[in-house]
């Protein structure tokens, strides 16, 4: 008798379950996913019914995707996707390579001014991007970089670096020091110990960080909108500038289709790696 | 194989109030098993890490044979180290862990395999060579760590509390295993532990450290029979030596119960001294002695330890050993005495031994 009376109460206290938790969770999930859902509904709906408010998919067609990829109206989604891939890949590679070395130094070496360097990196991540647009535009105009890849890659690296450095520093900090010492006693130089022992162990964290940096760069709009020209513009800018056959009508359906093309691969990637991404975001925060 | 010499070695971390190790002098012979022992924070691990090259020496020099290694990188010293948590490389198999050093030194592959297999056989690890460390038990991991050291056939083994993560029974087994292995291989070994039983049972010689200062180095028996100071007297032996503080009389003699210690001019009149008696040297007497009221009796089967408070100024704790299975009971009052030859006398102020007779 006492068993049956007490058990449910205990469970509720322990796990914090309850209808309130579910409702608030549902509200948050819906708030995040509804716009995305609507984008897909409109993308698959016939142009004539774009403004229909039926909440489920109707008049399903792939015409909008054809229109989105069509280059006759001055759009070039495929080129923009290629640009985005190039910019994101180069940025991610550079940010991770730099990030790993900086994080190693911050996590493992004693040197004067370490606190200062960490502070500067943190400050850089807090800096509002919009404040950089004008000076960067000015600078890149002067050196003739407007409309080049490096004009987009280099600022993106500086945005991605604080993130990579913070995640990796936390992770490297938690690796046992003795492993590196064991390697050095075993006859490895500091560099060899890092390459052969620390790096293989840090691989999951490096991978997570790379995904996070890639997503952040893929989604970057502000700087790209000012510093790029059509030949190098990434998808974010291409979608924003998307034009239809008739200059007086916004081609909403085609824009939604373009948006779907750009976001769906990213969402799938995040869903596949979500465990790792969460682990990477909380690295060092929780003692295991 | 090599001898090791510490020549006035000190290490002080920047910002630290006192050195972690100060003015450390020690010569370790070729093939010797030397144990560094002391309470936590005494500098024993730091000393070992300086030898391995993992800590920078602030002052003094370290020599392996006649070669000054003070400024050398760990990789140039030809030292193998066994860490407290073993520090096995989690992403490598047992065989790769053991062969890592050889691979770094570009040893031919078939020779690496042969040496790893030999060491694995010696350590009873042959069937685990392809496993990853996480699939091994604590004792097996410990043996892999040993194997990683043995495979290299180095000049010196450094072992930093290699048994402290094992359970009590396995620890005793592994203790004799390591000592036996070292005798067989004849590699000079420096072994760090906080456990004085480990130190006494394993070491050819034992170096006792406290607060970064070397207190005494000698064979286990000499440490036990003639401790140089109060710290060594209290640290070596279990249960610890009874240390009773008292004062000499005006002739420079000391009397404790029926124990009459003749100062022979080595003790000043009225000098504050500490008298040390090992628990096994105390015996029950009918005549004059120290009255002790028993608080606790620990029966170990073959013998028993009796803890009580002595009827002396300050009511010092007195521990005595009783052989057999008939110790006195808790609450009883006994009278204890000891032969004067078995008693140690120390100067209370400096802690140093006073050699009487």
């Amino acid at each position: 008798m006492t068993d049956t009376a007490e058990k449910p109460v205990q469970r509720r206290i322990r796990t914090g379950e309850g209808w309130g938790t579910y409702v608030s969770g549902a509200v948050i999930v819906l708030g995040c996913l509804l716009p995305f859902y609507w984008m897909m509904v409109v993308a698959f709906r016939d142009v004539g019914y774009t403004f229909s408010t039926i909440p489920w998919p109707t008049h399903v067609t792939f015409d909008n995707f054809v229109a989105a990829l069509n280059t006759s109206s001055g759009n070039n989604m495929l080129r923009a996707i290629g640009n985005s891939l190039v910019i994101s890949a180069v940025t991610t590679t550079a940010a991770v390579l730099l990030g790993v070395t900086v994080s190693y130094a911050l996590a493992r070496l004693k040197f004067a001014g370490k606190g200062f360097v960490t502070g500067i990196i943190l400050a850089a991540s807090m800096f509002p991007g919009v404040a950089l647009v004008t000076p960067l535009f000015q600078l890149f105009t002067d050196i003739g970089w407007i409309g080049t890849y490096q004009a987009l890659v280099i600022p993106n690296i500086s945005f991605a670096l604080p993130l990579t450095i913070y995640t990796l520093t936390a992770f490297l900090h938690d690796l046992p020091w003795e492993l590196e010492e064991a390697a050095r006693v075993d006859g490895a130089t500091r560099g060899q110990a890092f390459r052969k022992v620390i790096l293989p162990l840090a691989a999951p964290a490096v991978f997570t960080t790379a995904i996070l940096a890639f997503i952040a760069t893929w989604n970057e709009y502000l700087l790209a909108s000012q510093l790029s020209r059509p030949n190098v513009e990434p998808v974010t800018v291409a979608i924003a500038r998307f034009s239809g056959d008739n200059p007086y009508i916004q081609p909403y359906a085609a824009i939604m289709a373009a948006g779907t093309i750009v976001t769906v691969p990213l969402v799938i990637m995040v869903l596949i790696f979500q465990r790792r991404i969460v682990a990477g975001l909380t690295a060092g925060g929780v003692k295991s | 194989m090599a001898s090791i010499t510490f020549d006035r070695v000190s290490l002080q971390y920047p910002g630290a109030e006192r050195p972690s190790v100060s003015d450390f002098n020690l010569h370790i012979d070729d093939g010797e098993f030397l144990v560094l022992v002391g309470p936590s924070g005494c500098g024993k691990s730091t000393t070992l890490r300086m030898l391995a090259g993992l800590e920078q020496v602030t002052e003094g020099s370290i020599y392996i044979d006649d070669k000054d290694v003070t400024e050398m990188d760990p990789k140039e010293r030809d030292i193998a180290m066994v860490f407290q948590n073993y520090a096995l490389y989690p992403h490598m198999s047992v065989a790769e862990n053991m062969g890592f050093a050889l691979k770094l030194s570009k040893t031919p592959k078939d020779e690496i395999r042969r040496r790893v297999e030999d060491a694995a056989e010696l350590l009873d690890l042959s069937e685990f060579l392809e496993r990853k460390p996480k699939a091994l038990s604590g004792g097996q991991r410990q043996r892999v760590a040993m194997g990683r050291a043995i495979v290299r056939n180095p000049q010196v083994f450094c072992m930093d509390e290699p048994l402290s993560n094992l359970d009590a029974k396995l620890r005793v087994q592994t203790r004799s295993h390591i000592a036996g292995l070292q005798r067989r291989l004849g590699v000079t070994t420096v072994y760090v532990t906080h456990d004085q039983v480990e130190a006494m049972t394993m070491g050819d010689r034992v170096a006792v450290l406290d607060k970064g200062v070397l207190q005494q180095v000698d064979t286990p028996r000499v440490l036990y029979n003639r401790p140089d100071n109060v710290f060594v007297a209290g640290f070596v032996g279990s249960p610890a030596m009874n240390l009773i503080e008292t004062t000499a009389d005006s002739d420079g003699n000391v009397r404790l119960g029926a124990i009459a210690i003749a100062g022979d001019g080595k003790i000043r009149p009225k000098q504050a001294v500490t008298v040390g008696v090992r628990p096994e040297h105390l015996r029950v007497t009918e005549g004059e002695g120290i009255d002790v009221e028993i608080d606790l009796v620990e029966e170990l089967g073959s013998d028993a330890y009796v803890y009580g408070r002595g009827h002396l100024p300050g009511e010092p704790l007195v521990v005595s050993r009783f052989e057999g299975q008939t110790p006195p009971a808790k609450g009883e009052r006994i009278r204890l005495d000891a032969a004067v030859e078995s008693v140690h006398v120390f100067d209370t102020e400096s802690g140093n031994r006073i050699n009487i007779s």
Side-chain angles (χ1 to χ4, degrees):
Chain A
M1 283 297 273
T2 41
D3 266 13
T4 47
E6 274 174 18
K7 255 184 184 164
V9 178
Q10 277 182 346
R11 183 179 298 162
R12 215 152 93 187
I13 291 167
R14 201 169 54 236
T15 59
E17 273 173 30
W19 63 270
T21 317
Y22 287 115
V23 169
S24 41
V27 167
I28 292 168
V29 170
L30 284 179
C32 293
L33 290 185
L34 267 183
F36 184 66
Y37 170 76
W38 200 245
M39 175 180 81
M40 299 210 357
V41 168
V42 174
F44 284 103
R45 193 171 270 173
D46 190 278
V47 181
Y49 300 87
T50 295
F51 297 102
S52 156
T53 51
I54 303 166
W56 48 84
T58 55
H59 307 92
V60 175
T61 167
F62 286 93
D63 290 353
N64 297 324
F65 290 89
V66 176
L69 298 176
N70 192 332
T71 53
S72 63
S73 314
N75 304 311
N76 196 337
M77 277 309 290
L78 285 178
R79 185 182 63 192
I81 289 172
N83 287 337
S84 268
L85 280 175
V86 169
I87 293 165
S88 304
V90 173
T91 302
T92 305
T93 314
V96 167
L97 284 180
L98 279 171
V100 164
T101 47
V102 174
S103 311
Y104 175 80
L106 288 177
R108 291 305 176 102
L109 306 180
K110 286 180 199 150
F111 57 89
K114 188 158 140 181
F116 179 72
V117 172
T118 319
I120 291 283
I121 294 167
L122 188 63
S125 69
M126 300 292 172
F127 213 74
V130 70
L132 293 173
V133 171
T134 315
L136 280 177
F137 188 83
Q138 184 69 50
L139 175 68
F140 289 161
T141 308
D142 288 350
I143 59 177
W145 273 17
I146 298 291
T148 60
Y149 283 121
Q150 65 266 33
L152 298 176
V153 167
I154 289 172
N156 273 328
I157 291 174
S158 70
F159 288 139
L161 261 183
L163 174 83
T164 53
I165 290 172
Y166 265 86
T167 344
L168 288 172
T169 305
F171 186 85
L172 290 178
H173 201 83
D174 285 352
L175 282 182
W177 280 79
E178 285 89 351
L179 288 176
E180 197 185 335
E181 292 180 339
R184 290 181 60 208
V185 173
D186 265 349
T189 60
R190 265 185 191 276
Q192 280 175 320
F194 177 63
R195 275 204 322 278
K196 299 195 174 183
V197 175
I198 299 300
L199 214 49
L201 294 175
V206 172
F207 188 68
T208 308
T209 314
I211 293 173
L212 291 172
F214 190 91
I215 293 171
T217 313
W218 185 270
N219 288 336
E220 205 284 324
Y221 170 74
L222 183 66
L223 284 179
S225 68
Q226 302 304 313
L227 302 178
S228 69
R229 291 288 175 266
N231 59 323
V232 298
E233 72 187 5
V235 282
T236 45
V237 179
I239 291 173
R241 288 197 321 108
F242 205 89
S243 45
D245 299 331
N246 184 336
Y248 300 103
I249 298 173
Q250 272 282 30
Y252 283 112
I255 292 176
M256 293 301 156
T260 306
I261 294 171
V262 170
T263 31
V264 164
L266 219 57
V267 171
I268 290 172
M269 185 166 82
V270 170
L271 288 178
I272 290 173
F273 298 118
Q274 60 164 329
R275 265 175 201 282
R276 284 203 161 164
I277 291 171
V278 172
L281 288 174
T282 57
V286 192
K287 272 258 175 222
S288 55
Chain B
M1 269 153 269
S3 66
I4 300 165
T5 309
F6 287 89
D7 183 23
R8 307 190 60 104
V9 171
S10 297
L11 184 148
Q12 183 156 11
Y13 290 109
E17 275 177 27
R18 59 172 186 83
S20 303
V21 175
S22 58
D23 204 17
F24 187 85
N25 286 298
L26 181 62
H27 178 81
I28 303 163
D29 283 329
D30 183 13
E32 190 177 354
F33 194 119
L34 183 107
V35 179
L36 291 172
V37 69
S40 68
C42 72
K44 55 190 189 296
S45 281
T46 312
T47 306
L48 187 77
R49 291 167 56 81
M50 285 193 289
L51 173 61
L54 296 171
E55 300 283 350
Q56 196 80 45
V57 175
T58 324
E59 256 176 73
S61 310
I62 301 172
Y63 300 89
I64 296 178
D65 278 338
D66 295 325
K67 201 167 54 180
D68 186 346
V69 299
T70 319
E71 297 298 325
M72 277 188 189
D73 242 25
K75 61 173 258 182
E76 295 161 22
R77 300 192 185 200
D78 196 14
I79 279 177
M81 186 147 168
V82 179
F83 291 81
Q84 182 172 355
N85 62 6
Y86 317 139
L88 302 178
Y89 312 122
H91 58 297
M92 297 183 198
S93 69
V94 169
E96 286 168 331
N97 260 287
M98 285 165 63
F100 185 65
L102 297 177
K103 199 171 141 196
L104 284 174
S105 66
K106 306 222 158 43
T107 311
K109 271 206 178 112
D110 45 335
E111 195 191 333
I112 296 181
R113 231 205 26 233
R114 188 177 53 74
R115 280 165 74 174
V116 167
E117 280 170 1
D118 286 353
E121 190 148 340
L122 197 65
L123 292 159
D124 215 5
L125 285 169
S126 301
E127 52 186 310
F128 306 116
L129 280 177
E130 296 315 312
R131 287 212 199 159
K132 292 274 167 68
K134 68 170 182 231
L136 299 176
S137 71
Q140 288 161 349
R141 285 179 202 181
Q142 205 283 330
R143 297 210 298 276
V144 176
M146 287 293 300
R148 197 165 62 180
I150 291 172
V151 161
R152 290 178 46 194
N153 193 17
Q155 300 215 51
V156 179
F157 284 149
C158 290
M159 303 193 189
D160 192 358
E161 309 220 11
L163 303 183
S164 57
N165 285 357
L166 300 179
D167 63 54
K169 193 178 167 196
L170 200 55
R171 199 179 307 160
V172 175
Q173 282 174 9
T174 316
R175 196 165 78 195
S176 48
H177 190 188
I178 291 181
L181 212 55
Q182 194 272 342
R183 303 263 185 289
R184 183 138 47 117
L185 299 170
V187 176
T188 315
T189 301
V190 183
Y191 184 105
V192 163
T193 180
H194 64 270
D195 180 351
Q196 57 95 16
V197 179
E198 242 172 62
M200 300 291 277
T201 50
M202 296 176 85
D204 293 325
R205 282 194 305 158
V206 176
V208 184
L209 275 90
D210 184 42
K211 300 196 178 82
V213 179
L214 183 60
Q215 304 291 323
Q216 189 174 359
V217 199
D218 221 312
T219 60
R221 185 174 301 150
V222 173
L223 281 186
Y224 191 81
N225 291 339
R226 287 183 66 84
D228 273 353
N229 57 41
V230 170
F231 179 81
V232 177
F235 191 80
V236 171
S238 172
M241 183 190 283
N242 295 298
L243 294 166
I244 297 162
E245 290 185 13
T246 182
T247 313
D249 62 18
S250 48
D251 297 327
N253 298 323
V254 179
R255 195 170 176 84
L256 195 70
I259 309 165
I261 302 158
D264 231 359
K266 287 172 185 159
I267 303 174
R268 281 176 280 112
K270 300 288 175 199
Q271 185 179 353
V273 293
T274 302
V275 177
V277 192
R278 295 231 175 255
E280 65 267 32
H281 293 142
L282 285 169
R283 63 205 171 193
V284 177
T285 174
E286 296 296 318
E288 210 181 340
I290 307 163
D291 283 321
V292 174
E293 197 168 306
I294 299 168
D295 291 332
L296 176 71
V297 178
E298 278 182 357
E299 290 211 50
L300 300 175
S302 61
D303 45 20
Y305 295 114
V306 173
Y307 296 78
R309 277 167 291 116
H311 277 235
L312 293 165
E315 296 217 325
L317 179 75
V318 176
V319 190
S320 56
R321 192 179 83 182
F322 283 77
E323 281 177 25
Q325 306 203 330
T326 51
K330 190 173 147 184
E332 263 183 64
R333 180 177 282 217
I334 51 174
R335 185 168 288 175
L336 295 171
D337 187 22
V340 71
E341 308 83 65
S342 65
V343 167
H344 310 261
V345 184
F346 305 96
D347 175 22
T348 303
E349 204 180 322
S350 68
N352 290 334
R353 179 184 190 85
I354 300 170
N355 285 313
I356 44 150
S357 65

